[in-house]
Amino acid sequence: MEWNVPKFPLDTLSDNGLDWLTEHGSWLTRAVSRTVSDWIETLTTALVAIPPWLCIAVAAFAAYRAGGRKIGLLTLVGLLFLWNLRLWQATVETLVLVTIATAAALVIGVPVGIWFALSRRAWRTFSPILDMMQTLPSFVYLIPALPFFGLGAVSACFATIVFSVPPVIRLTALGIRNVPSELVEASDAFGSSATQKLFKVQLPLALPTIMAGVNQTMMLALSMVVIAAMIGAGGLGRAVWQSIQRLEAGAGFEAGIGIVIVAVILDRVTQALAARARPHGVA
């Protein structure tokens, strides 16, 4: 039995909206595409030009300084194993994409999170949008990326940014809101301005929670690497996608293990940084 109520033309409205945006905003998307493409190519070329053993040594030392001996050793062994599997260049491409996407998500997400923490009206208005963004399947984010930026790493980077930005917004707002009210009242009593209160009281105390948001954002960005390979992104995701297309189970397993190793290293390092950001005496 058919329903005689006319269908709401959501698909047509979406198509018309994308057509209008691509037609009138093509100058902006082309400029952004060129800039991001240059960043990705420059960073990847620079890192690949450095001897892998030197990159691995520097990364292991940085991990050791951030999280101690175990995390430094984990980084050293994990990256050496990826080099041995002949996945070094793919690993570098993945790290560049994740780094750029995470940095852009933080540039967008932290200020928006601060705004949401300080404005209840803004939080109530835009919270449903964050809920929708975290509920949508990750494949959906590829749809608007293609008309704007076409196939390639730039579209993958754009989709990854949009997919991974909600956690840092939420956790930044949560961290600032959870600052003890006694400390906020004390700063007011000493005559602190709103800016001084934000940068000297609220943000320092919220930093561990914000760092948890950085961790979640980075993990979500990394989870997009395989999906982003469907629209032309390189790295370990492309290796997995190619192995699926060619039915090469062994190669796909190697690339999948590579993604796991990178995820574990990034997770442990960011967790260590979050622990170091926690004020002394706070559990």
Side-chain angles (χ1 to χ4, degrees):
M1 181 177 179
E2 293 187 2
W3 198 15
N4 294 324
V5 176
K7 174 182 177 293
F8 182 75
L10 181 60
D11 51 353
T12 303
L13 292 174
S14 300
D15 289 338
N16 292 340
L18 281 175
D19 290 342
W20 186 88
L21 287 173
T22 52
E23 180 181 353
H24 293 84
S26 59
W27 61 273
L28 178 60
T29 57
R30 282 197 298 266
V32 171
S33 181
R34 284 194 300 268
T35 302
V36 175
S37 179
D38 289 343
W39 287 349
I40 293 173
E41 184 177 349
T42 300
L43 286 174
T44 303
T45 302
L47 289 174
V48 170
I50 300 172
W53 61 266
L54 181 57
C55 281
I56 293 171
V58 171
F61 179 73
Y64 164 74
R65 295 286 295 176
R69 183 180 304 174
K70 290 184 179 179
I71 297 178
L73 183 61
L74 170 67
T75 303
L76 178 64
V77 173
L79 294 181
L80 284 174
F81 184 58
L82 291 177
W83 185 21
N84 176 263
L85 292 178
R86 310 300 189 265
L87 292 173
W88 179 249
Q89 176 153 348
T91 301
V92 168
E93 291 173 357
T94 296
L95 288 172
V96 167
L97 177 62
V98 170
T99 300
I100 291 177
T102 302
L106 294 179
V107 169
I108 297 169
V110 172
V112 173
I114 293 171
W115 178 36
F116 285 175
L118 301 179
S119 172
R120 295 284 180 179
R121 178 178 296 179
W123 173 252
R124 287 195 299 268
T125 301
F126 293 103
S127 181
I129 297 177
L130 292 179
D131 295 336
M132 182 187 70
M133 291 175 66
Q134 292 188 286
T135 306
L136 283 174
S138 52
F139 286 95
V140 174
Y141 291 96
L142 305 181
I143 297 173
L146 291 174
F148 290 132
F149 304 105
L151 291 172
V154 177
S155 287
C157 191
F158 171 81
T160 303
I161 292 168
V162 178
F163 177 66
S164 60
V165 76
V168 73
I169 295 177
R170 285 188 180 279
L171 288 172
T172 298
L174 178 65
I176 293 175
R177 286 181 178 177
N178 285 345
V179 172
S181 57
E182 297 84 358
L183 297 178
V184 176
E185 292 170 0
S187 67
D188 289 333
F190 281 102
S192 299
S193 65
T195 302
Q196 290 173 327
K197 180 169 61 177
L198 175 64
F199 285 99
K200 294 186 178 181
V201 177
Q202 293 172 307
L203 282 179
L205 292 173
L207 189 56
T209 307
I210 295 173
M211 287 301 302
V214 173
N215 175 277
Q216 291 301 305
T217 295
M218 193 171 287
M219 292 301 100
L220 285 177
L222 190 57
S223 72
M224 278 288 286
V225 296
V226 177
I227 298 170
M230 298 173 60
I231 58 172
L236 295 168
R238 180 169 59 188
V240 173
W241 181 241
Q242 288 177 345
S243 68
I244 293 172
Q245 293 177 314
R246 300 170 183 173
L247 298 178
E248 297 175 345
F253 181 72
E254 282 186 347
I257 288 295
I259 294 173
V260 171
I261 291 173
V262 172
V264 170
I265 291 172
L266 294 177
D267 179 63
R268 295 297 183 271
V269 170
T270 51
Q271 282 190 19
L273 291 174
R276 291 180 62 178
R278 187 174 294 115
H280 295 295
V282 178

